[in-house]
Amino acid sequence: NVPEDQADKLLLASWGLPKAVLEKYHSLGVVQMFEWQAECLMLGQVLEGKNLIYSAPTSAGKTLVAELLILKRVLETRKKALLILPFVSVAKEKKCYLQ
């Protein structure tokens, strides 16, 4: 569980994302994460590029964790990232809002 003193980590706004990114997530109804998502992001050195393996049921929010990790790394390091998605329709959807 996320400690009480870090409860603000559930809010997307607390992760240092640009205003445009936050506005896009907010327009999609995503303002905060589930506790397990924040826990994933706070594990070890995940935000510094270390590996993370996590599993959750369909529609549980796995993609949000991956997107936040990718966005933070791309913005902080100015390097490119590769996001592999299972379906063309999902890839097109992600392309539209990640741009």
Side-chain angles (χ1 to χ4, degrees):
N1 292 336
V2 176
E4 276 190 45
D5 63 332
Q6 294 187 348
D8 65 320
K9 293 294 186 184
L10 296 176
L11 299 173
L12 290 183
S14 69
W15 290 93
L17 297 169
K19 183 179 178 185
V21 172
L22 290 173
E23 287 174 357
K24 185 60 179 180
Y25 277 117
H26 290 176
S27 75
L28 297 169
V30 181
V31 177
Q32 70 178 41
M33 295 179 274
F34 295 116
E35 283 188 22
W36 74 265
Q37 292 169 316
E39 287 174 26
C40 283
L41 296 173
M42 292 188 293
L43 284 174
Q45 296 175 318
V46 171
L47 292 174
E48 285 80 41
K50 296 296 180 185
N51 294 329
L52 172 67
I53 297 174
Y54 57 105
S55 175
T58 301
S59 297
K62 296 181 297 290
T63 301
L64 180 62
V65 174
E67 287 174 5
L68 293 177
L69 287 171
I70 289 170
L71 286 168
K72 285 195 64 59
R73 292 290 293 169
V74 165
L75 293 170
E76 291 170 1
T77 65
R78 297 301 209 199
K79 294 183 179 180
K80 294 180 181 182
L82 177 64
L83 176 61
I84 299 170
L85 298 164
F87 303 106
V88 172
S89 61
V90 175
K92 286 181 180 179
E93 177 187 316
K94 295 295 175 196
K95 178 187 171 213
C96 287
Y97 85 76
L98 287 175
Q99 285 181 333

